[in-house]
Amino acid sequence: MRGSYELGEERQKRLREIIIQLEGSGLEYTADDIVLEYHNKITRLSFLKTMCENINHLELVGKKRTSETYSSTLRSFLKFLGKNDISLDMIDSQLMLRYEAYLKEREVSLNTISFYMRVLRAVYNRAVDENIMEQKSPFKHVYTGID
């Protein structure tokens, strides 16, 4: 996981972006408005929330087996993260490489690693398509093929 210093930098960056956005609106705003927007953005970018929404949607449309595979991926990734939720915009190449190494250390097969990565990539790309975040191609350097 990232150090607290790096997490602090991410928070500061997010706060600066919110202030710039509010300044650009031309409207008056308060510190409470900044805090509210910060929490709203965190909620929109929650990895756990996004995965759970995808799993629930798959169940609703009758794709039970696919929802189970997404749940399996979620459990594995949360175990890697130490059961902590992260923001979708924190998913980058370095994190995915560390997750891949974590799985290899546990002697997970290449097919399973690829499977988990493809599920995570699908959820990530869906968030990009929904304009929740910008594309950073975090899966470019990890194995997503079929062995």
Side-chain angles (χ1 to χ4, degrees):
M1 283 301 303
R2 296 173 176 216
S4 59
Y5 177 74
E6 291 178 37
L7 290 174
E9 285 180 353
E10 287 288 331
R11 289 182 184 119
Q12 289 176 12
K13 178 182 173 197
R14 198 169 286 130
L15 283 169
R16 279 193 297 275
E17 289 171 355
I18 290 167
I19 292 168
I20 289 169
Q21 179 184 10
L22 291 170
E23 288 282 332
S25 73
L27 301 173
E28 290 186 26
Y29 63 92
T30 66
D32 288 340
D33 295 327
I34 296 169
V35 170
L36 179 63
E37 182 56 31
Y38 179 86
H39 287 289
N40 286 341
K41 188 168 189 169
I42 294 296
T43 300
R44 284 192 308 272
L45 290 172
S46 164
F47 167 76
L48 181 59
K49 177 181 172 279
T50 301
M51 279 295 287
C52 289
E53 286 174 353
N54 277 268
I55 291 165
N56 290 336
H57 173 74
L58 289 166
E59 288 174 357
L60 283 173
V61 297
K63 296 186 176 185
K64 176 122 176 76
R65 184 69 184 119
T66 305
S67 74
E68 291 169 355
T69 60
Y70 273 52
S71 293
S72 174
T73 302
L74 174 60
R75 282 190 302 276
S76 171
F77 196 59
L78 284 177
K79 189 173 183 180
F80 161 71
L81 294 172
K83 307 266 188 229
N84 297 314
D85 190 12
I86 62 169
S87 176
L88 285 170
D89 61 356
M90 293 174 76
I91 296 176
D92 60 15
S93 284
Q94 294 303 314
L95 181 65
M96 290 299 95
L97 286 168
R98 287 196 306 275
Y99 179 48
E100 182 179 53
Y102 165 87
L103 293 170
K104 286 178 179 177
E105 286 173 11
R106 281 150 185 77
E107 299 181 0
V108 174
S109 75
L110 282 178
N111 279 342
T112 302
I113 292 171
S114 172
F115 174 77
Y116 287 159
M117 294 297 179
R118 289 190 319 257
V119 168
L120 292 172
R121 183 178 62 192
V123 171
Y124 180 92
N125 286 340
R126 201 166 294 120
V128 170
D129 289 346
E130 294 172 3
N131 294 316
I132 294 172
M133 55 179 292
E134 66 182 61
Q135 178 62 265
K136 294 190 287 186
S137 303
F139 301 92
K140 185 165 43 172
H141 302 294
V142 294
Y143 182 69
T144 57
I146 297 177
D147 190 31

